[in-house]
Amino acid sequence: MSSESVVLEVRNLKVSYYVDGSREKTILKNINLSVRRGETVLVIGKSGSGKTTLARSIIGLLNKTQNATIEGEVLFKGKDIVNADLPPEEIKYVGQNPYIYFVEYHLRRDLEGYAHRYYGEKAKEIVLEKSRFLGLEHLLDRFYYFLSGGEARRVAILKAIITNPEVLILDEPLMWVDDENVLKIKEIIRSLRSMNVSVIIFEHRFMPLLDIVDNVYLLKNGILYRLDKNRLSATQAPEEQTRHNNNAPSMSSRKILSMKNVVFSYDDARVYEFGDFELSEKELIVLLGRNGSGKSTFLKLVSGQLKPKSGSITWHHRCRTGYLPQKPIAFFTEITVMKEIEEVCKQSKNPDGCRDNVEKALKALGINDLERSPFSLSWGEQVRTALALLGYSGVYGLLLLDEPFTGLDYYDRYVITGILNNLVACNGVSVIVAASTMEPLSCLNPSHVYHVNNGRLVPSRDQHELSCYKSIALKIKDIYEGAVPCSEN
């Protein structure tokens, strides 16, 4: 590789954290990576492997925001930026939570205000040009807090490319993104490549991206390994198809709640006419819809966070409801995972049994340090911890899960679908899952599937042949945990 073509280079990078103020934990060990101008690089790895730590180290953000010790170099066009006061303007980063990138509530004002710093009077023209380029012009007059997760992510990418960066780092760019918009994000990445922009992608849901990246790296045990793309592509072999009856009868006839003529509207004039809906015990309901279709709004109506503008929600059998929001960090309230367990189990009739069950579930899901703060867990670790608390405490009769598969690798998704199937079949729990893509849901055994389209619930009454991705999940698990990766970079 010609040194002149390298725009970003990581040399012998080591990152350690001090846990609880005393214990040093090394996350990254001797990381080396070179990225050429216009190259698209994909970094994969298990949840909690250090991908976000590496992304933040590259832009010099880690040592400003967290108690970390950093050794080694990150060179941008030959200049070390590890200890820079601010990352270079030519490097932009879009993290896992897209909502934090907006200063103004109104998107057009936010984007034009940002663009004005660089383009002056041409700011409006630039914002319009970039938004049309990404197909996001229709969102400009919305308030950012009304955006769905997938919409917010695409607008955050729009804001990042306003300044025409040379390097764009994307941390989980497909999180919350529906299948149609995955294609749009891929087109964005292809367009950036044609503009000679280097793109570094950190992603769990990486299968759709394999055809647009130049190199793939595996982050494992703190070391970065180069992988053969063909090895990953080979995991996409056809799966055995499973027939799902999307109008299966409930295993219990006792009704939990019913909705009648429910309508909800936001201040920005969006109106969701959900109409009628019923839920019985031991049902697993899937809500499938595009970003912004109303899935999260529906869950918030059921949980009582929102009140319908008209219509009624009637509880026939009141049970405690557990709600996991799209941003799992909002689920937690305590300073350690153990404290979270204790608080949840206070509501149980058998606190000791509750603690034992949750601790066993956490261990099975790879969460072993119960004295760790839940706020220091990776996104995927937070999701797994929340699901263990909700599902195995025995406290909740109804689980409302908003995009619970985000931030999880393929194998963890497969494990979670098995847990949800088991909770419904064996523990008598009812579950409503909202998702933007069918892929992680294909191993579920749903009682009903509803397509959500602009707030309308359309029941799918046909049987569908869906491919459960079990073999893909197991093959990727083998890649993540296998003894000998292809080669070390």
Side-chain angles (χ1 to χ4, degrees):
M1 181 184 298
S2 169
S3 61
E4 293 182 0
S5 68
V6 174
V7 65
L8 186 73
E9 186 172 10
V10 180
R11 293 180 181 174
N12 304 317
L13 184 68
K14 177 182 177 182
V15 177
S16 302
Y17 290 106
Y18 281 95
V19 183
D20 300 327
S22 58
R23 292 185 292 128
E24 186 176 34
K25 182 177 181 180
T26 300
I27 306 298
L28 303 178
K29 310 170 185 175
N30 196 36
I31 297 289
N32 290 280
L33 174 68
S34 294
V35 181
R36 300 187 304 271
R37 190 175 302 279
E39 182 182 13
T40 302
V41 169
L42 172 65
V43 179
I44 67 174
K46 293 181 66 175
S47 175
S49 62
K51 298 185 298 298
T52 297
T53 296
L54 177 55
R56 291 176 176 173
S57 298
I58 290 174
I59 62 170
L61 181 63
L62 196 66
N63 57 347
K64 308 295 189 304
T65 59
Q66 294 174 273
N67 184 22
T69 300
I70 303 177
E71 301 175 19
E73 297 176 303
V74 177
L75 304 176
F76 174 66
K77 295 194 289 190
K79 182 179 179 181
D80 191 3
I81 61 172
V82 165
N83 296 308
D85 291 334
L86 292 171
E89 288 288 347
E90 299 92 340
I91 300 179
K92 295 299 179 185
Y93 169 73
V94 179
Q96 293 179 358
N97 183 359
Y99 295 95
I100 66 174
Y101 294 96
F102 306 110
V103 178
E104 297 281 350
Y105 295 143
H106 191 269
L107 287 176
R108 189 186 297 272
R109 287 200 299 268
D110 181 90
L111 296 171
E112 290 178 355
Y114 179 67
H116 190 270
R117 293 164 48 190
Y118 300 92
Y119 301 102
E121 297 303 317
K122 292 186 177 181
K124 293 183 178 180
E125 176 185 340
I126 294 295
V127 168
L128 192 58
E129 173 190 329
K130 299 288 186 182
S131 62
R132 286 175 175 171
F133 174 69
L134 299 188
L136 298 174
E137 185 182 2
H138 66 290
L139 296 178
L140 291 181
D141 290 313
R142 295 267 294 275
F143 294 96
Y144 84 83
Y145 46 79
F146 284 141
L147 296 178
S148 71
E151 290 170 331
R153 186 164 306 285
R154 286 184 288 137
V155 177
I157 294 175
L158 164 62
K159 188 169 184 177
I161 69 168
I162 280 177
T163 59
N164 298 316
E166 294 184 45
V167 178
L168 179 61
I169 300 172
L170 303 176
D171 194 356
E172 301 281 357
L174 302 188
M175 183 182 288
W176 302 327
V177 177
D178 60 54
D179 293 331
E180 181 177 338
N181 285 304
V182 166
L183 299 177
K184 293 181 179 179
I185 288 181
K186 289 177 67 174
E187 285 305 312
I188 292 170
I189 295 171
R190 285 193 180 99
S191 298
L192 292 171
R193 178 172 181 157
S194 70
M195 297 162 57
N196 224 21
V197 176
S198 302
V199 182
I200 306 174
I201 305 168
F202 298 83
E203 181 61 63
H204 284 297
R205 184 186 171 191
F206 60 81
M207 287 296 190
L209 302 175
L210 291 178
D211 63 328
I212 64 168
V213 301
D214 298 297
N215 285 298
V216 181
Y217 294 87
L218 168 66
L219 185 56
K220 174 186 172 184
N221 297 328
I223 300 174
L224 200 62
Y225 300 92
R226 190 195 300 271
L227 288 181
D228 182 354
K229 271 192 1 175
N230 294 329
R231 183 183 179 191
L232 289 173
S233 298
T235 65
Q236 302 183 81
E239 298 274 349
E240 179 181 354
Q241 290 187 321
T242 303
R243 182 176 293 273
H244 291 263
N245 183 355
N246 295 329
N247 195 27
S250 169
M251 291 178 286
S252 169
S253 60
R254 186 158 71 163
K255 191 182 301 182
I256 295 177
L257 67 86
S258 59
M259 291 182 170
K260 191 72 175 176
N261 300 322
V262 168
V263 177
F264 181 83
S265 62
Y266 286 101
D267 292 341
D268 61 354
R270 282 177 298 155
V271 178
Y272 293 139
E273 298 179 0
F274 292 110
D276 299 345
F277 173 80
E278 290 187 349
L279 175 70
S280 297
E281 285 184 328
K282 296 185 179 181
E283 284 194 326
L284 199 166
I285 305 296
V286 169
L287 304 178
L288 183 65
R290 294 182 57 188
N291 302 135
S293 61
K295 303 183 300 296
S296 297
T297 300
F298 181 86
L299 293 183
K300 290 175 181 177
L301 285 167
V302 174
S303 68
Q305 298 177 58
L306 297 176
K307 302 298 181 185
K309 182 177 181 180
S310 61
S312 62
I313 300 177
T314 303
W315 287 86
H316 305 283
H317 172 62
R318 175 67 69 173
C319 60
R320 187 173 278 113
T321 300
Y323 173 72
L324 177 60
Q326 280 189 9
K327 292 178 281 187
I329 196 171
F331 175 84
F332 300 101
T333 59
E334 306 302 319
I335 60 174
T336 67
V337 174
M338 180 56 76
K339 290 288 186 183
E340 295 282 355
I341 297 173
E342 292 172 355
E343 284 301 309
V344 168
C345 290
K346 284 179 181 178
Q347 305 170 71
S348 172
K349 295 179 180 178
N350 180 10
D352 291 338
C354 171
R355 284 192 293 270
D356 288 343
N357 289 337
V358 173
E359 288 180 23
K360 287 177 183 177
L362 286 170
K363 185 176 181 180
L365 292 171
I367 309 297
N368 297 306
D369 186 358
L370 303 185
E371 295 305 320
R372 188 174 174 185
S373 168
F375 302 102
S376 69
L377 298 174
S378 72
W379 190 287
E381 289 170 329
Q382 288 177 345
V383 171
R384 284 179 278 152
T385 300
L387 285 175
L389 289 163
L390 290 170
Y392 287 93
S393 61
V395 170
Y396 303 99
L398 171 61
L399 305 186
L400 307 176
L401 310 178
D402 197 351
E403 301 283 3
F405 302 101
T406 57
L408 301 178
D409 62 51
Y410 287 94
Y411 181 72
D412 282 341
R413 290 180 181 189
Y414 173 69
V415 170
I416 295 302
T417 58
I419 288 174
L420 296 180
N421 288 334
N422 182 266
L423 286 173
V424 174
C426 302
N427 293 32
V429 176
S430 298
V431 180
I432 304 179
V433 177
S436 300
T437 174
M438 194 64 197
E439 179 194 57
L441 305 175
S442 59
C443 295
L444 285 176
N445 299 321
S447 308
H448 305 276
V449 175
Y450 291 88
H451 295 278
V452 187
N453 184 13
N454 293 324
R456 296 183 182 274
L457 298 182
V458 181
S460 176
R461 301 192 179 279
D462 299 324
Q463 291 186 338
H464 293 288
E465 297 283 346
L466 298 173
S467 297
C468 178
Y469 53 95
K470 177 180 178 180
S471 66
I472 291 178
L474 294 176
K475 289 174 184 176
I476 291 173
K477 179 176 184 284
D478 182 60
I479 291 173
Y480 283 173
E481 299 181 359
V484 184
C486 295
S487 62
E488 183 176 344
N489 184 49

